[in-house]
Amino acid sequence: VRSTTDDARLITDEHAAAFERDGAVRVQGLLDADELRRFAWLFDLLVARGDDMSNYYGDDLPGKTIVNLNGWRTEPSFLETLTASSLPRAAAQLLDSTQLRLYEDLLIFKTPGTEQPTSWHQDEPQWPVTGRQMCSGWFCLDAVDEAGGALRFARGSHLGRLYRPYVPEDRLADVDADARFFDGGDLPDIEADPVTFPVVSFDVRPGDVVFFHPRMLHHAFGSAPTHARRTLSIRFLGDDVRFAEKRSVFYESLAKTGLADGDRLSDADFPLLTGAR
Ligand SMILES: O=C(O)CCC(=O)C(=O)O
């Protein structure tokens, strides 16, 4: 755990400007060796409890994709490790937010040589919230380049429209019910229109964190032939975020928060990580 004081700057003005302009920024060397060791420990524990989601990512393709969503709900030490790390403070600085809450954490493990991609998508369509002060902090425990699964983004797409999320057929009615949020309609073919959607990617080394806005269109190839891709993506919400009911939420507990449109977020479902209550 870092010895920096609470108000030490982890994010430069250049990082903040890039995040605002492009919707994604790489902060190199944010996590030190001790923080990485703690996250690696959590990763090993949670991947063993993960689900093989290869059928969702494309099980006609080589490899395997294991996912564990919301480790914080099952592993008591998760929040302790996260709160003690520099991630929440860096995210708060990036969002210029006094408070920071956890939205969710997502572990993704792609075995070596996985060709199962993460399809182009945005995250916000299935988050039952409104506001601008939101970001995910995505990092890998291994060095990863674009071909080996580093996230690829449509630069600036956080300033554009929201598109209908992909859902299985039995949930299409839920997406229809939320149509007012999806002013972009169906997801366009991102790769086919490089003028509207210029694709950028950041190679990462252990300790680097890529922060991106949940409206960002993003995608990833599988993993390198020689090594696995061990990834954690941790989602943060800042001061201006309020609850906004959606039926197309990604997982069920979000439909059971008891919150109504416009409510401030509750500690029970969105734990406070930094800042006073
Ligand atoms: O790491 C990946 O393959 C996908 C991650 C992702 O979509 C996210 O963090 O929102």
Side-chain angles (χ1 to χ4, degrees):
V1 177
R2 283 191 184 228
S3 56
T4 44
T5 60
D6 268 358
D7 38 25
R9 294 298 297 176
L10 301 168
I11 296 296
T12 64
D13 291 347
E14 288 73 27
H15 292 135
F19 178 72
E20 203 146 300
R21 181 186 65 233
D22 300 334
V25 64
R26 175 183 58 194
V27 179
Q28 292 181 294
L30 177 66
L31 303 172
D32 67 17
D34 190 36
E35 291 171 310
L36 281 171
R37 250 193 313 276
R38 287 165 188 246
F39 281 120
W41 185 86
L42 276 175
F43 186 98
D44 289 345
L45 191 105
L46 294 172
V47 77
R49 303 179 195 162
D51 299 311
D52 185 343
M53 294 290 285
S54 299
N55 59 345
Y56 176 84
Y57 287 85
D59 53 8
D60 49 334
L61 297 166
K64 216 188 243 192
T65 305
I66 310 282
V67 171
N68 189 331
L69 186 64
N70 283 327
W72 75 269
R73 288 185 185 268
T74 59
E75 174 48 43
S77 69
F78 191 102
L79 281 181
E80 213 175 277
T81 297
L82 179 58
T83 307
S85 81
S86 40
L87 267 175
R89 276 185 299 121
Q93 290 174 13
L94 192 66
L95 298 175
D96 196 20
S97 185
T98 52
Q99 262 198 353
L100 202 77
R101 293 181 180 276
L102 179 64
Y103 177 71
E104 72 180 13
D105 63 87
L106 168 68
L107 172 155
I108 302 184
F109 175 64
K110 297 198 184 199
T111 55
T114 297
E115 291 176 25
Q116 299 171 1
T118 301
S119 303
W120 281 103
H121 70 285
Q122 295 165 305
D123 295 329
E124 189 175 316
Q126 286 175 283
W127 293 15
V129 290
T130 57
R132 288 298 302 178
Q133 288 167 297
M134 309 195 262
C135 69
S136 294
W138 180 98
F139 62 98
C140 295
L141 301 173
D142 316 280
V144 173
D145 63 8
E146 185 172 5
L151 280 189
R152 304 171 71 230
F153 299 98
R155 191 175 61 219
S157 51
H158 65 310
L159 303 173
R161 296 168 186 272
L162 270 194
Y163 299 97
R164 284 171 64 95
Y166 165 79
V167 291
E169 204 138 306
D170 62 345
R171 298 212 47 211
L172 284 175
D174 291 338
V175 175
D176 288 341
D178 291 340
R180 68 191 178 286
F181 293 105
F182 311 133
D183 56 347
D186 289 334
L187 190 73
D189 183 347
I190 308 300
E191 310 269 1
D193 186 357
V195 175
T196 311
F197 303 114
V199 175
V200 293
S201 176
F202 308 92
D203 292 356
V204 287
R205 301 166 63 84
D208 297 350
V209 178
V210 175
F211 289 97
F212 63 99
H213 194 277
R215 290 181 87 94
M216 283 293 274
L217 287 156
H218 57 288
H219 162 269
F221 298 121
S223 61
T226 47
H227 61 274
R229 203 200 70 178
R230 297 177 293 159
T231 302
L232 290 168
S233 189
I234 303 186
R235 287 73 152 78
F236 301 105
L237 306 177
D239 296 336
D240 76 345
V241 180
R242 298 289 179 274
F243 195 76
E245 195 181 333
K246 278 184 190 156
R247 279 185 41 191
S248 41
V249 287
F250 197 66
Y251 50 92
E252 247 173 54
S253 59
L254 287 176
K256 297 184 189 147
T257 57
L259 298 176
D261 280 354
D263 280 356
R264 287 181 177 276
L265 303 176
S266 56
D267 293 347
D269 286 296
F270 307 97
L272 190 66
L273 299 172
T274 98
R277 227 167 235 109

